């Protein structure tokens, strides 16, 4: 599936699908801008999917469109992810929802993930090149063989609150990152504007929730690293197939 028209909405907005559970999205590409505009809490926007619940998988997908989560008034928790806005559902609220985690594999994001805010209170914005936010859902989340080229923009009230090339923030969820890479110039540009990464992950991972200790923050390693543009393009050829 190739999507080239813009996607707009409130609360759950995706380039391919807004909200899903027990679903696999495979071989999809979004080239359109994705825009979520809400005065309510928990706005989830993703280049492929806005919010995904349990028994779900996003695999072999690519986003090149800009993803923007815009909130006004006193709304909180605006999330923008190049691939997925929110990676999990804590409690099923509708008959077609399944509580649990959605895994992301072999995906590439080339679009900007942006959180903007126009209110007067702390907005808690989370933006990630692959995933905006991991939810309160129980279970172990996986992001595997994923690459981010896209820029990060986060101008909420708390500018350090969750910005990372792989994931903006994780709350109450165990995460495993394997063979995940970001663009070195993206982290450098974000650091120049916003200051050194307080989590020490070079803006690969933004922040973990309150039940994590500092020793559990994900640090750069051989398989979670920053690369040059040319290096990432070579990795796309080997990982995304």
């Amino acid at each position: 599936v190739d999507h080239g028209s813009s996607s707009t909405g409130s609360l759950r907005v995706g380039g391919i699908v807004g909200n899903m559970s027990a679903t696999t999205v495979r071989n999809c590409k979004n080239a359109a801008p994705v825009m979520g505009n809400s005065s309510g809490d928990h706005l989830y926007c993703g280049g492929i999917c806005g919010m995904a619940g349990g028994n779900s998988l996003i695999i072999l997908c690519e986003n090149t469109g800009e993803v923007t989560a815009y909130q006004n008034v006193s709304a909180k928790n605006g999330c923008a992810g190049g691939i997925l806005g929110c990676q999990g559902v804590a409690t099923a609220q509708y008959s077609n929802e399944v509580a649990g985690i959605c895994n992301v594999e072999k995906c590439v994001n080339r679009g900007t993930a942006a959180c903007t805010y126009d209110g007067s209170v702390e907005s808690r914005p989370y933006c990630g090149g692959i995933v905006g936010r991991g939810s309160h859902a129980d279970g172990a989340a996986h992001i595997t063989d994923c690459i981010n080229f896209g820029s990060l923009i986060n101008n909420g009230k708390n500018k350090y609150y969750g910005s990372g090339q792989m994931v903006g923030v994780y709350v109450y969820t165990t995460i495993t990152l394997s063979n995940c890479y970001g663009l070195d110039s993206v982290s450098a540009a974000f650091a120049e504007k916003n200051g050194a990464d307080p989590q020490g992950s070079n803006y690969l991972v933004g922040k973990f929730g309150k039940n994590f200790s500092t020793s559990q923050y994900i640090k750069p390693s051989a398989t979670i690293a920053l690369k040059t543009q040319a290096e990432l393009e070579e990795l796309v050829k080997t990982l995304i197939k």
Side-chain angles (χ1 to χ4, degrees), residues 68-83:
T68 304
Y70 171 79
Q71 290 186 293
N72 53 46
V73 193
S74 59
K76 295 182 180 180
N77 299 327
C79 306
I83 300 298

Side-chain angles (χ1 to χ4, degrees), residues 111-196:
T112 296
C115 292
T116 62
Y117 182 72
D118 194 24
S120 59
V121 301
E122 181 182 299
S123 56
R124 300 179 186 175
Y126 314 124
C127 65
I130 303 300
V131 172
R133 175 184 176 174
S135 82
H136 296 262
D138 292 333
H142 294 266
I143 301 177
T144 306
D145 296 342
C146 289
I147 296 172
N148 177 64
F149 293 85
S151 298
L152 305 174
I153 299 175
N154 193 335
N155 65 352
K157 286 290 182 178
N158 190 338
K159 62 185 178 182
Y160 296 127
Y161 207 107
S163 300
Q165 291 202 59
M166 290 302 109
V167 58
V169 67
Y170 262 87
V171 185
Y172 301 110
T173 304
T174 302
I175 174 180
T176 299
L177 299 180
S178 302
N179 294 327
C180 291
Y181 303 97
L183 184 60
D184 55 2
S185 60
V186 168
S187 285
F190 197 84
E192 182 178 359
K193 181 177 180 180
N194 298 286

